[in-house]
């Protein structure tokens, strides 16, 4: 059967290297390709999940307007509970936001190179994604970005910190962008905000054109549950709520998110560990002559002469990292998710062994490869 004309020509988001799921025994695997966390959930979250199961109400649909969760999210984001809504992952929240505000023929700008999933949602509405890249994709330059935003742009998507470049705009820079584009819906994707230690959620009071998306999949380590949320004006959320299906946010995801917010110390400790591990890994790689790019998220970038070769050699050791060759201008880079110190030590030793091995060593990079 023929799909609608937008889906027919749509280039799907490349779901690559999810190989870890093919292994029956996952204990030895380092899954460092999707920026997930390496956390076993702390006892208070597991206990809350068990209590929910013991209550025997799994046959009920989930709470579609979980007041406790909304209040906890609002307090965490520093806004009132009329300014937040939760969804089945921030990906879905972005999809809803795009479908709510964008229509056929609209221009939607993505500050690029960036998280490519959003492009798919945009194209599926018949809108035109415009990948706005500035001369230096690693520099946060509002002037350069604004100069690339065409007039009548309906929506601007800005991941902050950005995946994969790590580029991070300051609060003042984002306020400048919001002020310059009063008629454009600006989505600020803060999936990695906990690692960066900064957020602009409080700007939603000043700017009706901003929607902030946030995730429980990264620093909170709840990717399997699929839960995220939006922070915006009650008016914007009212429109998005018209198409949100509250039944889709599973009860266990809601239980886990609420328990995570009430027991945040585990997340804060993890953020500290990731920061330490990023610095450790970058230093180790520098000693091997590999210049890495640190980011404020839970990932770093490296550039080596034979990226596919290094990625394949790491995969042979059950270490999965991400190539970025699907993103314009990023094909020279590999992205490595950074988790615990011990996994980073294993990554560093594995790369060292590969680089000194004859097969790869003959193509070993020179210092300053990035
Ligand atoms: C910038 C960005 N936004 C959103 C997501 C997806 O988050 P979620 O798991 O909440 O859908 C990711 C995942 O990698 C991401 O990098």
């Amino acid at each position: 059967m023929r799909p609608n004309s937008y889906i027919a020509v749509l280039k799907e988001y490349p779901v690559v290297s999810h190989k870890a799921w093919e292994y029956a025994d996952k204990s030895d695997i380092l899954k460092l390709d999707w920026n997930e966390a390496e956390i076993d959930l702390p006892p208070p979250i597991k206990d809350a999940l068990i209590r929910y199961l013991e209550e025997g109400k799994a046959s009920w649909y989930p709470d579609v307007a979980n007041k406790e969760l909304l209040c906890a999210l609002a307090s965490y984001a520093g806004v009132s509970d009329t300014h937040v809504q939760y969804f089945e992952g921030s990906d879905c929240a972005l999809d809803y936001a795009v479908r709510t505000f964008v229509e056929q023929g609209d221009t939607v700008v993505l500050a690029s190179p960036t998280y490519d999933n959003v492009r798919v949602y945009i194209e599926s509405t018949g809108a035109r994604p415009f990948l706005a890249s500035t001369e230096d994709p690693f520099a946060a330059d509002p002037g350069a970005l604004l100069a690339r935003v065409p007039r009548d742009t309906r929506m601007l998507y800005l991941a902050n910190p950005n995946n994969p470049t790590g580029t991070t705009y300051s609060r003042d820079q984002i306020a400048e962008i919001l002020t310059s584009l009063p008629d454009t819906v600006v989505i600020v994707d803060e999936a990695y905000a906990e690692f960066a230690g900064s957020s602009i959620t409080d700007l939603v009071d000043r700017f009706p054109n901003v929607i902030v998306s946030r995730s429980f999949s990264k620093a909170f380590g709840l990717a399997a549950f699929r839960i995220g949320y939006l922070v915006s004006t009650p008016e914007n959320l009212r429109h998005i709520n018209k198409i949100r299906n509250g039944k889709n946010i599973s009860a266990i995801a809601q239980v886990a998110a609420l328990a995570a917010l009430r027991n945040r110390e585990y997340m804060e400790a993890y953020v500290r560990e990731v920061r330490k591990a990023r610095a450790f890994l970058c230093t180790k790689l520098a000693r091997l002559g590999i210049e890495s790019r640190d980011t404020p998220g839970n990932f770093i970038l490296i550039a080596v002469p034979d990226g596919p070769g290094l990625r394949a050699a790491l995969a042979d050791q059950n270490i999965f990292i991400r190539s970025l060759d699907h993103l314009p201008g990023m094909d020279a880079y590999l992205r490595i998710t950074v988790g615990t110190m011990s996994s980073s030590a294993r990554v560093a030793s594995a790369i060292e062994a590969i680089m000194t091995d004859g097969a790869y060593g003959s193509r070993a990079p020179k210092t300053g490869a990035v």
Side-chain angles (χ1 to χ4, degrees):
M1 299 302 288
R2 200 159 47 84
N4 81 40
S5 52
Y6 309 128
I7 304 288
V9 296
L10 194 138
K11 194 166 134 258
E12 67 267 40
Y13 174 67
V15 178
V16 291
S17 74
H18 219 196
K19 236 179 139 37
W21 284 104
E22 292 169 18
Y23 292 72
D25 176 7
K26 299 182 180 52
S27 53
D28 181 48
I29 288 175
L30 288 188
K31 189 172 181 322
L32 307 177
D33 48 3
W34 279 30
N35 292 346
E36 295 130 310
E38 293 182 309
I39 315 180
D40 184 23
L41 296 181
I45 299 185
K46 289 184 180 171
D47 291 346
L49 290 165
I50 290 166
R51 272 199 306 279
Y52 162 74
L53 291 173
E54 286 177 351
E55 216 182 359
K57 291 289 179 279
S59 55
W60 290 16
Y61 282 116
D63 189 346
V64 298
N66 186 330
K67 192 78 186 156
E68 271 188 306
L69 179 55
L70 288 169
C71 289
L73 287 170
S75 144
Y76 178 58
V79 294
S80 89
D81 61 354
T82 55
H83 287 67
V84 286
Q85 183 55 281
Y86 59 90
F87 298 85
E88 56 274 40
S90 64
D91 273 348
C92 284
L94 294 168
D95 187 13
Y96 284 124
V98 168
R99 281 199 280 142
T100 302
F101 292 102
V102 165
E103 56 196 286
Q104 181 193 4
D106 281 345
T107 299
V108 179
V109 173
L110 294 95
S112 295
T114 192
Y115 184 52
D116 190 50
N117 226 351
V118 189
R119 175 193 52 77
V120 173
Y121 306 141
I122 297 162
E123 286 181 345
S124 73
T125 67
R128 289 184 308 255
F130 177 73
L131 309 186
S133 42
T134 53
E135 205 170 313
D136 178 1
F138 296 101
D141 183 343
L145 177 62
L146 287 166
R148 303 280 290 133
V149 176
R151 261 198 309 147
D152 299 331
T153 290
R154 186 79 195 101
M155 180 177 271
L156 167 67
Y157 170 79
L158 183 71
N160 205 53
N162 187 35
N163 168 18
T165 57
T167 309
T168 307
Y169 286 76
S170 70
R171 149 186 313 277
D172 287 350
Q173 289 177 319
I174 295 214
E176 182 186 338
I177 292 168
L178 293 169
T179 307
S180 305
L181 300 171
D183 300 321
T184 302
V185 177
V186 179
I187 298 202
V188 180
D189 181 339
E190 291 194 346
Y192 301 96
E194 282 83 6
F195 296 109
S198 63
S199 167
I200 57 111
T201 49
D202 57 302
L203 291 185
V204 298
D205 270 339
R206 261 175 67 202
F207 294 99
N209 55 335
V210 69
I211 299 176
V212 182
S213 67
R214 311 218 35 199
S215 177
F216 278 93
S217 304
K218 308 300 178 183
F220 282 102
L222 297 180
F225 291 88
R226 307 304 300 129
I227 187 157
Y229 56 103
L230 295 181
V231 184
S232 191
T233 63
E235 180 69 359
N236 289 340
L237 294 177
R238 188 172 68 78
H239 292 305
I240 296 171
N241 279 335
K242 293 177 196 167
I243 55 169
R244 168 184 179 266
N245 185 342
K247 292 204 300 258
N248 285 348
I249 306 100
S250 77
I252 51 166
Q254 296 184 34
V255 168
L258 185 56
L261 289 170
R262 288 179 174 165
N263 297 277
R264 289 211 283 276
E265 309 75 33
Y266 86 96
M267 177 276 283
E268 288 156 0
Y270 185 64
V271 166
R272 285 194 295 276
E273 170 125 15
V274 167
R275 288 181 183 153
K276 212 164 102 188
R278 277 192 342 236
F280 162 83
L281 195 53
C282 289
T283 309
K284 282 277 188 190
L285 293 174
R287 283 195 200 130
L288 296 174
I290 302 174
E291 193 178 325
S292 52
R293 257 185 198 275
D294 197 2
T295 78
N298 63 339
F299 51 93
I300 63 165
L301 303 181
I302 61 170
V304 289
D306 179 16
L310 180 61
R311 198 162 64 87
L314 285 170
D316 286 345
Q317 300 186 38
N318 288 348
I319 299 174
F320 299 104
I321 65 169
R322 183 78 195 255
S323 83
L324 297 175
D325 51 13
H326 62 294
L327 293 177
M330 296 304 287
D331 47 340
Y333 296 96
L334 297 171
R335 191 188 68 199
I336 306 178
T337 304
V338 179
T340 60
M341 282 296 288
S342 73
S343 81
S344 298
R346 182 172 151 199
V347 171
S349 330
I351 293 181
E352 180 165 18
I354 293 164
M355 302 300 278
T356 48
D357 170 56
Y360 192 91
S362 58
R363 286 168 294 177
K366 297 188 170 53
T367 308
V370 173

